[in-house]
Amino acid sequence: MPVGHVLEFAGVTKRFGPVMAVDGLTARVEPGVVTGFLGPNGAGKTTSLRILLGLVGATSGTATIGGKRYRDLDHPLQTVGAALEASSFHPGRTAANHLTVYAQAAGIAPRRVDEVLGLVGLADVAGRKVGGYSLGMRQRLGLAGTLLGDPGVLVLDEPSNGLDPEGIKWIRGFLRELAAQGRTVLVSSHMLAEIQQQADALMIISRGRLVFQGPLYALTEPDEYSTVVDAPDRDALRAALSARGIEFEVLRSGLSVPGSDPADVGATAAAAGIALSTLQRRGPALEEVFLDLVNGTRVHSSAAGMAPVAPAAEVPAPSEVPASAPEPPGTPEDAATLPAANPDDPEVLENAAALEESPDDIPATWDADHTKTDSDVEADEFFSRFDAHAAAEAAADADAGAAASIPEGRATTDEPATDESEDQR
Ligand SMILES: Nc1ncnc2c1ncn2[C@@H]1O[C@H](COP(=O)(O)OP(=O)(O)OP(=O)(O)O)[C@@H](O)[C@H]1O
């Protein structure tokens, strides 16, 4: 069974020129539960996750997985599965083909591709090109990719985006199951209503700063709750509460007793022989609490002193932002995330060559609907580095006179491909 790890953000700060994307984020994510990473658009969630995954360097502070930075992990793909965008797949490749490339590059057995596609409900469409997939299907494929290495940590950026209600229900159960197996599951979202259904614990950020961390129920304080009680004989109920010195407000729907426990109110009514028609606990609307936290009008003790105090300045578009500390190309983080390819494997080379497919192979919907995102660029970079690596290795082998010893099987995998799987891929 995969082992979950604690994720730790320690004073993480990231500046993009004048934009403070993440501002001293200190938080801890525990295994065994689904943790929601919540914040409005532009709050700094994706940047924090990218720092955790070594895709971008922090200006200061550290983010670790089981005490190690991503680049120091011995087996990154078997430790962390991450999906930061649903659309970072090449539209001209099939789902199975895509995952096969990743699996081969990481030395993961090809049968795992079929397993994970089955787990996310894509087995029947594994042979279809991803360009024809709906957003929800691409989300499922992203999730399948994260599971390839059977990792103990899952980091998912807005995984419910584009899912229909049935898909949302499915992913909720699926993530809970993964967490129940002891994995660490961190899921970002900008919608409380969505994360409320999925997560047991919450980390909320606003303008790059932590404004809450803890279990969902701790979002509100116990004294913010009241008991709403009513009886067919409301006058008798009022008299019984008053006789005990219990203060209440009169609502249309009954009597509201602030800061009380429904059990105590019920016992008072029972002692006076009053039958009740309503006995309910009511709290503040979580959506209001969330908005107050992100607007800075409510400060929670879990993030005391860290909440934003002033409205954010207008944020320039990324393209207008001069990079004060540009990321060096080919950082050690990049190298660590690039699994070694086996250049001798004919299928690896064939897969790499498939990327050069004619644009006619790409469904028209892709061109019409899709704008290239950072993640697409990352995917392209991944494959181009993959190709370059394979070509360099092949050239080195040829120089050494090793070309004649090209193996026929898959040196990076532990089982031969079947005819069926070859056809599908
Ligand atoms: N590469 C970049 N260059 C400049 N600014 C950036 C870059 N990436 C992010 N930002 C800025 O950093 C801030 C945080 O962005 P980030 O994408 O982390 O937020 P988010 O919480 O994930 O938002 P969303 O929910 O909209 O995805 C935003 O102001 C954003 O414009």
Side-chain angles (χ1 to χ4, degrees):
M1 188 57 70
V3 183
H5 295 287
V6 170
L7 312 181
E8 198 133 29
F9 296 88
V12 173
T13 292
K14 178 66 184 179
R15 266 182 190 284
F16 292 107
V19 178
M20 183 69 97
V22 185
D23 189 1
L25 176 66
T26 295
R28 194 180 153 90
V29 181
E30 302 284 346
V33 289
V34 178
T35 300
F37 190 18
L38 195 63
N41 290 132
K45 304 178 295 293
T46 305
T47 304
S48 305
L49 299 182
R50 287 167 65 85
I51 291 169
L52 179 72
L53 298 167
L55 293 168
V56 66
T59 306
S60 60
T62 53
T64 53
I65 298 158
K68 290 183 177 180
R69 280 188 291 186
Y70 186 91
R71 68 179 179 210
D72 298 326
L73 293 174
D74 296 328
H75 304 287
L77 294 181
Q78 279 79 4
T79 308
V80 189
L84 296 193
E85 282 267 354
S87 52
S88 60
F89 294 101
H90 193 286
R93 301 169 65 86
T94 68
N97 184 272
H98 233 296
L99 295 189
T100 301
V101 171
Y102 284 119
Q104 285 181 331
I108 293 167
R111 66 165 177 273
R112 181 70 185 154
V113 170
D114 297 328
E115 273 173 25
V116 296
L117 286 169
L119 282 173
V120 302
L122 289 180
D124 292 347
V125 289
R128 274 173 53 185
K129 287 183 180 175
V130 176
Y133 272 25
S134 68
L135 182 55
M137 289 160 83
R138 276 184 278 159
Q139 289 285 24
R140 286 174 188 250
L141 179 55
L143 192 53
T146 67
L147 295 169
L148 267 181
D150 201 12
V153 177
L154 286 154
V155 176
L156 309 170
D157 200 10
E158 311 254 0
S160 306
N161 258 1
L163 292 183
D164 56 19
E166 196 188 333
I168 290 173
K169 190 174 166 205
W170 168 80
I171 203 165
R172 194 185 305 156
F174 192 66
L175 296 181
R176 280 194 186 281
E177 204 178 302
L178 293 169
Q181 290 165 358
R183 298 178 213 242
T184 309
V185 182
L186 180 61
V187 182
S188 83
S189 175
H190 58 274
M191 289 172 64
L192 175 71
E194 183 181 281
I195 218 79
Q196 202 180 334
Q197 308 280 331
Q198 273 176 12
D200 312 293
L202 275 186
M203 228 166 98
I204 304 181
I205 61 170
S206 173
R207 296 171 215 138
R209 308 186 81 181
L210 185 80
V211 294
F212 174 84
Q213 66 179 326
L216 193 60
Y217 65 78
L219 258 184
T220 46
E221 307 291 344
D223 63 8
E224 292 181 274
Y225 284 85
S226 58
T227 300
V228 174
V229 60
D230 206 3
D233 187 350
R234 195 184 278 184
D235 288 341
L237 180 61
R238 290 170 73 144
L241 293 175
S242 298
R244 288 281 186 101
I246 298 173
E247 291 182 8
F248 56 86
E249 289 166 47
V250 181
L251 311 175
R252 248 187 314 173
S253 56
L255 309 178
S256 172
V257 186
S260 61
D261 183 343
D264 294 341
V265 175
T268 301
I274 299 168
L276 296 180
S277 54
T278 301
L279 184 65
Q280 268 180 1
R281 187 166 192 253
R282 277 199 198 158
L286 286 189
E287 202 65 48
E288 293 298 320
V289 175
F290 171 59
L291 288 175
D292 288 350
L293 282 167
V294 301
N295 292 332
T297 49
R298 171 189 279 251
V299 177
H300 193 272
S301 53
S302 62
M306 303 173 94
V309 288
E314 200 170 317
V315 174
S319 57
E320 298 163 5
V321 176
S324 61
E327 301 305 324
T331 57
E333 286 97 326
D334 292 332
T337 57
L338 182 64
N342 171 17
D344 297 336
D345 187 327
E347 194 179 81
V348 168
L349 291 172
E350 187 195 310
N351 281 329
L355 289 170
E356 305 304 322
E357 279 177 357
S358 103
D360 295 341
D361 270 325
I362 299 171
T365 50
W366 176 262
D367 290 332
D369 297 338
H370 190 74
T371 311
K372 211 165 205 184
T373 64
D374 283 356
S375 295
D376 295 327
V377 173
E378 267 160 33
D380 289 349
E381 280 171 3
F382 173 89
F383 280 107
S384 62
R385 289 195 309 246
F386 182 87
D387 292 346
H389 180 85
E393 293 269 13
D397 282 352
D399 285 350
S405 66
I406 292 175
E408 295 197 342
R410 302 173 179 190
T412 53
T413 59
D414 62 4
E415 65 174 25
T418 62
D419 288 342
E420 189 191 28
S421 62
E422 290 294 344
D423 285 343
Q424 285 171 350
R425 290 164 189 140

